[in-house]
Coordinates of all heavy atoms in Angstrom, one line a residue:
M198 N 23.8 20.4 -10.1 CA 22.5 20.0 -9.6 C 22.7 19.0 -8.5 O 23.5 18.1 -8.6 CB 21.7 19.3 -10.7 CG 20.3 18.9 -10.3 SD 19.3 18.2 -11.7 CE 19.1 19.6 -12.7
T199 N 22.0 19.2 -7.4 CA 22.2 18.4 -6.2 C 21.5 17.0 -6.4 O 20.6 16.9 -7.3 CB 21.6 19.0 -4.9 OG1 20.2 19.2 -5.1 CG2 22.3 20.4 -4.7
N200 N 21.7 16.1 -5.6 CA 21.0 14.8 -5.6 C 19.5 15.0 -5.5 O 18.7 14.4 -6.2 CB 21.6 13.8 -4.6 CG 22.9 13.3 -4.9 OD1 23.3 13.3 -6.1 ND2 23.6 12.8 -3.9
K201 N 19.2 15.9 -4.5 CA 17.7 16.1 -4.3 C 17.1 16.7 -5.6 O 16.0 16.3 -6.0 CB 17.6 17.1 -3.1 CG 16.1 17.4 -2.9 CD 16.0 18.4 -1.7 CE 14.5 18.8 -1.6 NZ 14.3 19.7 -0.5
E202 N 17.7 17.7 -6.2 CA 17.2 18.3 -7.4 C 17.0 17.3 -8.5 O 16.0 17.2 -9.2 CB 18.0 19.5 -7.8 CG 18.0 20.6 -6.9 CD 19.1 21.7 -7.2 OE1 20.1 21.3 -7.7 OE2 18.8 22.8 -6.8
Q203 N 18.1 16.4 -8.7 CA 18.0 15.4 -9.7 C 16.9 14.4 -9.4 O 16.2 14.0 -10.4 CB 19.4 14.7 -9.8 CG 19.5 13.7 -10.9 CD 19.2 14.3 -12.3 OE1 19.7 15.4 -12.6 NE2 18.5 13.6 -13.1
Y204 N 16.8 14.0 -8.2 CA 15.8 13.1 -7.8 C 14.4 13.6 -8.1 O 13.5 13.0 -8.7 CB 15.9 12.7 -6.3 CG 14.7 11.8 -5.9 CD1 14.7 10.5 -6.1 CD2 13.7 12.4 -5.2 CE1 13.6 9.7 -5.7 CE2 12.6 11.7 -4.8 CZ 12.5 10.3 -5.1 OH 11.5 9.6 -4.7
Q205 N 14.2 14.9 -7.6 CA 12.9 15.5 -7.8 C 12.5 15.6 -9.3 O 11.4 15.3 -9.7 CB 12.9 16.9 -7.2 CG 13.0 16.9 -5.7 CD 11.7 16.4 -5.0 OE1 10.6 16.6 -5.5 NE2 11.9 15.7 -3.9
K206 N 13.5 15.9 -10.1 CA 13.2 16.1 -11.5 C 12.9 14.8 -12.2 O 11.8 14.7 -12.9 CB 14.5 16.7 -12.2 CG 14.4 16.9 -13.7 CD 15.7 17.4 -14.2 CE 15.6 17.5 -15.7 NZ 16.9 18.0 -16.3
S207 N 13.6 13.7 -11.9 CA 13.4 12.5 -12.6 C 12.2 11.7 -12.0 O 11.3 11.2 -12.7 CB 14.6 11.6 -12.6 OG 15.0 11.3 -11.3
A208 N 12.1 11.8 -10.6 CA 11.0 11.1 -10.0 C 9.6 11.7 -10.4 O 8.6 11.0 -10.5 CB 11.1 11.2 -8.4
Q209 N 9.5 13.0 -10.5 CA 8.3 13.6 -10.9 C 7.8 13.2 -12.2 O 6.6 12.9 -12.5 CB 8.3 15.1 -10.8 CG 7.0 15.8 -10.7 CD 6.1 15.3 -9.6 OE1 6.5 15.2 -8.4 NE2 4.9 15.0 -9.9
K210 N 8.8 13.0 -13.2 CA 8.4 12.5 -14.5 C 7.9 11.1 -14.4 O 6.9 10.7 -15.1 CB 9.7 12.6 -15.4 CG 10.0 13.9 -15.8 CD 11.3 13.9 -16.7 CE 11.7 15.3 -17.1 NZ 12.9 15.3 -18.0
V211 N 8.6 10.2 -13.6 CA 8.2 8.8 -13.5 C 6.8 8.7 -12.8 O 5.9 8.0 -13.2 CB 9.2 8.0 -12.8 CG1 8.7 6.6 -12.4 CG2 10.5 8.0 -13.6
I212 N 6.6 9.5 -11.8 CA 5.3 9.5 -11.1 C 4.2 10.0 -12.0 O 3.1 9.4 -12.0 CB 5.4 10.4 -9.8 CG1 6.3 9.7 -8.8 CG2 4.1 10.8 -9.2 CD1 6.7 10.6 -7.6
H213 N 4.5 11.0 -12.8 CA 3.5 11.4 -13.8 C 3.1 10.2 -14.7 O 1.9 10.0 -15.0 CB 4.0 12.6 -14.6 CG 3.1 13.1 -15.6 ND1 1.9 13.8 -15.3 CD2 3.1 12.9 -17.0 CE1 1.3 14.1 -16.5 NE2 2.0 13.5 -17.5
L214 N 4.1 9.5 -15.2 CA 3.8 8.4 -16.1 C 3.0 7.3 -15.4 O 2.1 6.7 -16.0 CB 5.1 7.8 -16.7 CG 5.8 8.7 -17.6 CD1 7.2 8.2 -18.0 CD2 5.0 8.9 -18.9
L215 N 3.4 7.0 -14.1 CA 2.7 6.0 -13.3 C 1.2 6.4 -13.1 O 0.3 5.6 -13.2 CB 3.4 5.8 -12.0 CG 4.6 5.0 -12.0 CD1 5.4 5.1 -10.7 CD2 4.4 3.5 -12.4
A216 N 1.0 7.7 -12.8 CA -0.4 8.2 -12.6 C -1.2 8.0 -13.9 O -2.4 7.6 -13.9 CB -0.4 9.6 -12.2
E217 N -0.6 8.4 -15.1 CA -1.3 8.2 -16.4 C -1.6 6.7 -16.6 O -2.6 6.4 -17.1 CB -0.4 8.8 -17.5 CG -0.4 10.3 -17.6 CD 0.3 10.8 -18.8 OE1 1.0 10.0 -19.5 OE2 0.3 12.0 -19.0
A218 N -0.6 5.8 -16.3 CA -0.8 4.4 -16.5 C -1.9 3.9 -15.6 O -2.8 3.1 -16.1 CB 0.5 3.6 -16.2
S219 N -2.0 4.4 -14.4 CA -3.1 4.0 -13.5 C -4.4 4.3 -14.0 O -5.4 3.5 -14.0 CB -2.8 4.6 -12.1 OG -3.9 4.2 -11.2
V220 N -4.5 5.6 -14.5 CA -5.8 6.0 -15.1 C -6.2 5.2 -16.3 O -7.3 4.8 -16.4 CB -5.8 7.5 -15.4 CG1 -6.9 8.0 -16.3 CG2 -5.7 8.4 -14.2
E221 N -5.2 5.0 -17.2 CA -5.5 4.2 -18.4 C -6.0 2.8 -18.0 O -6.9 2.2 -18.6 CB -4.2 4.1 -19.2 CG -4.4 3.2 -20.5 CD -5.4 3.7 -21.5 OE1 -5.6 4.9 -21.5 OE2 -6.0 2.9 -22.1
L222 N -5.3 2.1 -17.1 CA -5.7 0.8 -16.7 C -7.1 0.8 -16.0 O -7.8 -0.2 -16.2 CB -4.6 0.2 -15.7 CG -3.3 -0.2 -16.4 CD1 -2.2 -0.4 -15.3 CD2 -3.4 -1.3 -17.3
Q223 N -7.3 1.7 -15.2 CA -8.6 1.8 -14.5 C -9.8 2.0 -15.6 O -10.8 1.4 -15.5 CB -8.7 3.0 -13.5 CG -9.9 3.0 -12.7 CD -10.1 1.7 -11.8 OE1 -9.1 1.2 -11.3 NE2 -11.3 1.2 -11.7
N224 N -9.5 2.9 -16.5 CA -10.5 3.1 -17.6 C -10.7 1.8 -18.4 O -11.8 1.5 -18.9 CB -10.1 4.2 -18.5 CG -10.2 5.6 -17.8 OD1 -10.9 5.7 -16.8 ND2 -9.6 6.6 -18.3
A225 N -9.7 1.0 -18.6 CA -9.8 -0.2 -19.4 C -10.5 -1.3 -18.7 O -11.0 -2.2 -19.3 CB -8.4 -0.6 -19.9
R226 N -10.5 -1.2 -17.4 CA -11.2 -2.3 -16.6 C -12.6 -2.6 -17.0 O -13.1 -3.7 -16.8 CB -11.1 -2.0 -15.1 CG -9.8 -2.0 -14.4 CD -9.2 -3.2 -13.9 NE -10.0 -4.1 -13.1 CZ -10.1 -4.1 -11.7 NH1 -9.5 -3.2 -11.0 NH2 -10.8 -5.0 -11.1
N227 N -13.3 -1.5 -17.5 CA -14.7 -1.7 -17.9 C -14.8 -2.7 -19.0 O -15.9 -3.3 -19.2 CB -15.3 -0.4 -18.2 CG -15.4 0.6 -17.0 OD1 -15.5 0.1 -15.9 ND2 -15.4 1.8 -17.3
G228 N -13.8 -2.9 -19.8 CA -13.8 -3.8 -20.9 C -13.5 -5.2 -20.6 O -13.7 -6.1 -21.4
Y229 N -13.0 -5.5 -19.4 CA -12.7 -6.8 -19.0 C -13.9 -7.5 -18.3 O -14.7 -6.8 -17.6 CB -11.5 -6.9 -18.0 CG -10.2 -6.4 -18.7 CD1 -9.7 -5.2 -18.4 CD2 -9.5 -7.3 -19.5 CE1 -8.5 -4.8 -19.0 CE2 -8.3 -6.9 -20.1 CZ -7.8 -5.7 -19.8 OH -6.7 -5.3 -20.4
S230 N -14.1 -8.8 -18.4 CA -15.1 -9.5 -17.7 C -14.6 -10.8 -17.2 O -13.9 -11.5 -17.9 CB -16.3 -9.7 -18.6 OG -17.3 -10.5 -18.0
P231 N -14.9 -11.1 -15.9 CA -14.6 -12.4 -15.4 C -15.5 -13.6 -15.9 O -15.2 -14.7 -15.8 CB -14.7 -12.3 -13.9 CG -15.8 -11.2 -13.7 CD -15.6 -10.3 -14.9
E232 N -16.6 -13.1 -16.6 CA -17.5 -14.1 -17.1 C -17.1 -14.5 -18.5 O -17.4 -13.9 -19.5 CB -18.9 -13.5 -17.1 CG -19.4 -13.0 -15.8 CD -19.6 -14.0 -14.8 OE1 -19.9 -15.2 -15.1 OE2 -19.3 -13.7 -13.6
T233 N -16.4 -15.6 -18.5 CA -15.9 -16.2 -19.8 C -15.7 -17.7 -19.7 O -15.5 -18.2 -18.6 CB -14.6 -15.5 -20.2 OG1 -14.2 -16.1 -21.5 CG2 -13.5 -15.7 -19.2
N234 N -15.9 -18.4 -20.8 CA -15.7 -19.8 -20.8 C -14.3 -20.2 -21.2 O -13.9 -21.3 -21.2 CB -16.7 -20.5 -21.8 CG -18.1 -20.3 -21.3 OD1 -18.3 -20.3 -20.1 ND2 -19.0 -20.2 -22.2
S235 N -13.5 -19.2 -21.6 CA -12.1 -19.4 -22.1 C -11.1 -19.2 -20.9 O -11.1 -18.1 -20.3 CB -11.8 -18.4 -23.2 OG -10.4 -18.4 -23.5
F236 N -10.3 -20.2 -20.6 CA -9.3 -20.1 -19.6 C -8.3 -19.0 -19.9 O -7.9 -18.2 -19.1 CB -8.6 -21.4 -19.5 CG -7.4 -21.4 -18.5 CD1 -7.6 -21.3 -17.1 CD2 -6.1 -21.3 -19.0 CE1 -6.6 -21.2 -16.3 CE2 -5.0 -21.3 -18.1 CZ -5.3 -21.2 -16.7
I237 N -7.9 -18.9 -21.2 CA -6.9 -17.9 -21.6 C -7.5 -16.5 -21.5 O -6.9 -15.6 -21.0 CB -6.5 -18.1 -23.1 CG1 -5.8 -19.4 -23.3 CG2 -5.6 -16.9 -23.6 CD1 -4.5 -19.6 -22.5
D238 N -8.8 -16.3 -21.8 CA -9.4 -15.0 -21.7 C -9.5 -14.6 -20.2 O -9.3 -13.4 -19.9 CB -10.8 -15.1 -22.3 CG -11.4 -13.7 -22.7 OD1 -10.5 -12.8 -23.1 OD2 -12.6 -13.5 -22.5
Y239 N -9.8 -15.6 -19.4 CA -9.9 -15.3 -17.9 C -8.5 -14.9 -17.4 O -8.4 -14.0 -16.5 CB -10.4 -16.5 -17.2 CG -10.6 -16.2 -15.7 CD1 -11.8 -15.5 -15.3 CD2 -9.8 -16.7 -14.7 CE1 -12.0 -15.2 -14.0 CE2 -10.0 -16.4 -13.4 CZ -11.1 -15.7 -13.0 OH -11.3 -15.4 -11.7
E240 N -7.4 -15.5 -17.9 CA -6.1 -15.1 -17.5 C -5.8 -13.7 -17.8 O -5.1 -13.0 -17.1 CB -5.0 -16.1 -18.2 CG -4.9 -17.4 -17.5 CD -4.5 -17.3 -16.0 OE1 -3.5 -16.6 -15.7 OE2 -5.1 -18.0 -15.2
Y241 N -6.3 -13.2 -19.0 CA -6.1 -11.8 -19.3 C -6.8 -10.9 -18.3 O -6.3 -9.8 -18.0 CB -6.5 -11.5 -20.8 CG -5.6 -11.9 -21.8 CD1 -5.8 -13.0 -22.6 CD2 -4.4 -11.2 -21.9 CE1 -4.9 -13.4 -23.6 CE2 -3.4 -11.6 -22.9 CZ -3.7 -12.6 -23.7 OH -2.8 -13.0 -24.7
Y242 N -7.9 -11.3 -17.9 CA -8.7 -10.6 -16.9 C -7.9 -10.5 -15.6 O -7.7 -9.4 -15.0 CB -10.0 -11.2 -16.6 CG -10.8 -10.7 -15.4 CD1 -11.4 -9.5 -15.5 CD2 -10.9 -11.4 -14.2 CE1 -12.0 -8.9 -14.4 CE2 -11.5 -11.0 -13.2 CZ -12.1 -9.7 -13.2 OH -12.8 -9.2 -12.1
I243 N -7.3 -11.6 -15.1 CA -6.5 -11.7 -13.9 C -5.3 -10.8 -14.1 O -4.9 -10.1 -13.2 CB -6.1 -13.1 -13.5 CG1 -7.4 -13.9 -13.2 CG2 -5.1 -13.2 -12.4 CD1 -8.2 -13.4 -12.0
E244 N -4.6 -10.9 -15.2 CA -3.4 -10.1 -15.4 C -3.7 -8.6 -15.4 O -2.9 -7.9 -15.0 CB -2.7 -10.5 -16.8 CG -2.0 -11.9 -16.7 CD -0.9 -12.0 -15.6 OE1 -0.1 -11.0 -15.5 OE2 -0.9 -13.0 -14.9
S245 N -4.8 -8.2 -15.9 CA -5.2 -6.8 -15.9 C -5.3 -6.3 -14.4 O -4.9 -5.2 -14.1 CB -6.5 -6.6 -16.6 OG -7.6 -7.0 -15.9
I246 N -5.9 -7.1 -13.6 CA -6.0 -6.8 -12.1 C -4.6 -6.7 -11.5 O -4.3 -5.8 -10.8 CB -6.9 -7.8 -11.4 CG1 -8.3 -7.7 -11.9 CG2 -6.8 -7.6 -9.9 CD1 -9.2 -8.8 -11.4
K247 N -3.7 -7.7 -11.8 CA -2.4 -7.7 -11.3 C -1.6 -6.5 -11.7 O -0.9 -5.8 -10.9 CB -1.7 -9.0 -11.6 CG -2.2 -10.2 -10.9 CD -1.7 -11.5 -11.4 CE -0.3 -11.7 -11.7 NZ 0.1 -13.1 -12.1
L248 N -1.7 -6.1 -13.0 CA -1.0 -5.0 -13.6 C -1.4 -3.7 -12.9 O -0.6 -2.8 -12.5 CB -1.1 -4.9 -15.1 CG -0.3 -3.9 -15.8 CD1 1.2 -4.0 -15.5 CD2 -0.6 -3.9 -17.3
Q249 N -2.7 -3.6 -12.7 CA -3.3 -2.4 -12.0 C -2.7 -2.3 -10.6 O -2.3 -1.2 -10.1 CB -4.8 -2.4 -12.0 CG -5.4 -1.3 -11.2 CD -5.5 0.0 -12.0 OE1 -6.0 -0.1 -13.1 NE2 -5.1 1.1 -11.5
A250 N -2.6 -3.4 -9.9 CA -2.1 -3.4 -8.5 C -0.7 -3.1 -8.5 O -0.2 -2.4 -7.6 CB -2.4 -4.8 -7.9
I251 N 0.1 -3.6 -9.4 CA 1.6 -3.3 -9.5 C 1.8 -1.8 -9.7 O 2.6 -1.1 -9.0 CB 2.2 -4.1 -10.6 CG1 2.3 -5.5 -10.2 CG2 3.6 -3.5 -10.9 CD1 2.7 -6.5 -11.3
V252 N 1.1 -1.2 -10.6 CA 1.2 0.2 -10.9 C 0.8 1.1 -9.7 O 1.5 2.0 -9.3 CB 0.4 0.6 -12.2 CG1 0.4 2.2 -12.3 CG2 1.1 0.0 -13.4
D253 N -0.4 0.7 -9.1 CA -0.9 1.5 -8.0 C 0.0 1.4 -6.8 O 0.3 2.3 -6.1 CB -2.3 1.1 -7.6 CG -3.3 1.6 -8.7 OD1 -2.9 2.4 -9.5 OD2 -4.5 1.1 -8.6
A254 N 0.6 0.2 -6.5 CA 1.4 0.0 -5.4 C 2.8 0.7 -5.6 O 3.3 1.4 -4.6 CB 1.7 -1.5 -5.2
T255 N 3.3 0.7 -6.8 CA 4.5 1.5 -7.0 C 4.3 3.0 -6.9 O 5.1 3.7 -6.3 CB 5.0 1.2 -8.5 OG1 5.2 -0.2 -8.6 CG2 6.3 1.9 -8.7
L256 N 3.1 3.5 -7.3 CA 2.8 4.9 -7.2 C 2.6 5.3 -5.7 O 3.2 6.3 -5.3 CB 1.5 5.1 -8.0 CG 1.1 6.6 -8.2 CD1 2.2 7.4 -8.8 CD2 -0.2 6.6 -9.0
Q257 N 1.9 4.4 -5.0 CA 1.7 4.7 -3.5 C 3.1 4.7 -2.8 O 3.3 5.5 -1.9 CB 0.8 3.7 -2.9 CG -0.6 3.8 -3.5 CD -1.3 5.1 -3.0 OE1 -1.2 5.6 -1.9 NE2 -2.1 5.6 -3.9
A258 N 3.9 3.8 -3.1 CA 5.2 3.7 -2.4 C 6.2 4.7 -2.8 O 7.1 5.1 -2.0 CB 5.8 2.3 -2.7
S259 N 6.1 5.3 -4.0 CA 7.1 6.2 -4.5 C 6.7 7.7 -4.4 O 7.5 8.5 -4.8 CB 7.4 5.9 -6.0 OG 7.8 4.6 -6.1
A260 N 5.5 8.0 -4.0 CA 5.0 9.4 -4.1 C 4.3 9.7 -2.8 O 3.7 8.9 -2.1 CB 4.1 9.6 -5.3
D261 N 4.3 11.0 -2.5 CA 3.4 11.6 -1.5 C 2.1 11.8 -2.1 O 2.0 12.4 -3.2 CB 4.0 12.9 -1.0 CG 5.2 12.7 -0.1 OD1 5.3 11.6 0.6 OD2 6.1 13.6 0.0
V262 N 1.0 11.4 -1.5 CA -0.3 11.4 -2.0 C -1.1 12.5 -1.3 O -1.1 12.5 0.0 CB -1.0 10.1 -1.9 CG1 -2.4 10.2 -2.5 CG2 -0.2 9.0 -2.6
K263 N -1.8 13.4 -2.0 CA -2.6 14.4 -1.4 C -4.0 14.3 -2.0 O -4.1 14.4 -3.2 CB -2.0 15.8 -1.6 CG -2.8 16.9 -1.0 CD -2.1 18.2 -1.2 CE -3.0 19.3 -0.6 NZ -2.5 20.7 -0.9
V264 N -5.0 14.2 -1.2 CA -6.4 14.2 -1.7 C -6.9 15.6 -1.4 O -7.0 16.1 -0.3 CB -7.2 13.1 -0.9 CG1 -8.6 13.1 -1.4 CG2 -6.6 11.7 -1.1
E265 N -7.4 16.2 -2.5 CA -7.9 17.5 -2.5 C -9.4 17.5 -2.0 O -10.0 16.4 -1.9 CB -7.9 18.1 -3.9 CG -6.6 18.2 -4.5 CD -5.6 19.1 -3.9 OE1 -6.0 20.0 -3.2 OE2 -4.4 18.9 -4.1
N266 N -9.9 18.6 -1.6 CA -11.3 18.7 -1.1 C -12.3 18.2 -2.1 O -13.4 17.7 -1.7 CB -11.6 20.1 -0.6 CG -10.8 20.6 0.6 OD1 -10.4 19.7 1.4 ND2 -10.7 21.9 0.8
N267 N -12.0 18.4 -3.4 CA -13.0 18.0 -4.4 C -12.8 16.5 -4.8 O -13.4 16.1 -5.7 CB -12.8 18.9 -5.6 CG -11.5 18.8 -6.3 OD1 -10.6 18.1 -5.8 ND2 -11.3 19.5 -7.4
G268 N -11.9 15.8 -4.1 CA -11.7 14.4 -4.4 C -10.6 14.1 -5.3 O -10.2 12.9 -5.5
D269 N -10.0 15.1 -6.0 CA -8.9 14.9 -6.9 C -7.7 14.5 -6.1 O -7.5 14.9 -4.9 CB -8.5 16.2 -7.6 CG -9.5 16.6 -8.7 OD1 -10.3 15.8 -9.0 OD2 -9.4 17.7 -9.2
I270 N -6.9 13.6 -6.7 CA -5.7 13.1 -6.0 C -4.4 13.7 -6.7 O -4.4 13.7 -8.0 CB -5.6 11.6 -6.1 CG1 -6.8 11.0 -5.3 CG2 -4.3 11.0 -5.5 CD1 -7.0 9.5 -5.4
T271 N -3.5 14.1 -5.9 CA -2.3 14.7 -6.5 C -1.1 13.9 -5.9 O -1.0 13.5 -4.8 CB -2.1 16.2 -6.0 OG1 -3.2 16.9 -6.4 CG2 -0.8 16.8 -6.6
Y272 N -0.2 13.5 -6.9 CA 1.0 12.7 -6.5 C 2.2 13.6 -6.7 O 2.4 14.3 -7.7 CB 1.2 11.5 -7.4 CG 0.0 10.5 -7.3 CD1 -1.0 10.5 -8.2 CD2 -0.1 9.6 -6.2 CE1 -2.0 9.6 -8.2 CE2 -1.1 8.7 -6.1 CZ -2.1 8.7 -7.1 OH -3.1 7.9 -7.0
R273 N 3.1 13.6 -5.7 CA 4.4 14.4 -5.8 C 5.5 13.5 -5.4 O 5.4 12.6 -4.5 CB 4.3 15.6 -4.9 CG 3.3 16.7 -5.4 CD 3.8 18.0 -4.8 NE 3.2 19.1 -5.6 CZ 1.9 19.5 -5.5 NH1 1.1 18.8 -4.7 NH2 1.4 20.5 -6.2
A274 N 6.7 13.8 -5.9 CA 7.9 13.1 -5.5 C 8.1 13.3 -4.0 O 7.9 14.4 -3.5 CB 9.1 13.6 -6.3
K275 N 8.5 12.3 -3.3 CA 8.8 12.4 -1.9 C 9.9 13.3 -1.6 O 10.9 13.4 -2.4 CB 9.1 11.0 -1.3 CG 7.9 10.1 -1.3 CD 8.2 8.8 -0.5 CE 6.9 8.0 -0.4 NZ 7.0 6.9 0.5
E276 N 9.8 13.9 -0.4 CA 10.9 14.8 0.1 C 11.4 14.2 1.4 O 10.5 13.8 2.2 CB 10.5 16.2 0.2 CG 10.2 16.9 -1.1 CD 10.1 18.4 -1.0 OE1 10.7 19.0 -0.1 OE2 9.4 18.9 -1.8
F277 N 12.7 14.3 1.7 CA 13.2 13.7 2.9 C 13.8 14.8 3.7 O 14.3 15.8 3.2 CB 14.2 12.6 2.6 CG 13.7 11.6 1.7 CD1 14.0 11.6 0.4 CD2 12.9 10.6 2.2 CE1 13.5 10.6 -0.5 CE2 12.4 9.6 1.4 CZ 12.7 9.6 0.0

């Protein structure tokens, strides 16, 4: 197996996991609220935003992104 083939195989698996994580975190955002009297609870809200940003930034940096006509987004391992 060439380096390209090995990269494509492993990167596509990781990209798939990152995309799933992004969707899960986005869906969970509806359960968080910045309106709280608890400092600790607010920190969890901030951490959820940071985690979403980390996953999305990694996904954007590691994959080629294609937006379909219907608005669906497809992520693929980069090719050089």
Side-chain angles (χ1 to χ4, degrees):
M198 183 177 293
T199 67
N200 287 339
K201 178 182 178 179
E202 291 168 334
Q203 183 61 39
Y204 172 80
Q205 293 290 324
K206 180 181 174 183
S207 60
Q209 197 57 46
K210 287 179 183 179
V211 171
I212 289 167
H213 177 75
L214 292 171
L215 286 168
E217 284 184 354
S219 180
V220 168
E221 176 63 30
L222 290 167
Q223 188 62 41
N224 290 340
R226 293 270 314 268
N227 295 332
Y229 294 105
S230 173
E232 303 298 324
T233 180
N234 293 329
S235 168
F236 174 75
I237 299 297
D238 201 36
Y239 188 75
E240 281 299 314
Y241 280 110
Y242 170 74
I243 296 299
E244 287 301 314
S245 74
I246 293 170
K247 288 169 45 177
L248 185 57
Q249 177 80 52
I251 290 167
V252 169
D253 288 347
T255 304
L256 191 55
Q257 294 291 324
S259 304
D261 286 330
V262 181
K263 181 180 179 186
V264 180
E265 305 292 338
N266 291 337
N267 63 359
D269 287 349
I270 299 173
T271 303
Y272 298 100
R273 289 207 162 74
K275 289 188 175 191
E276 292 192 29
F277 307 101

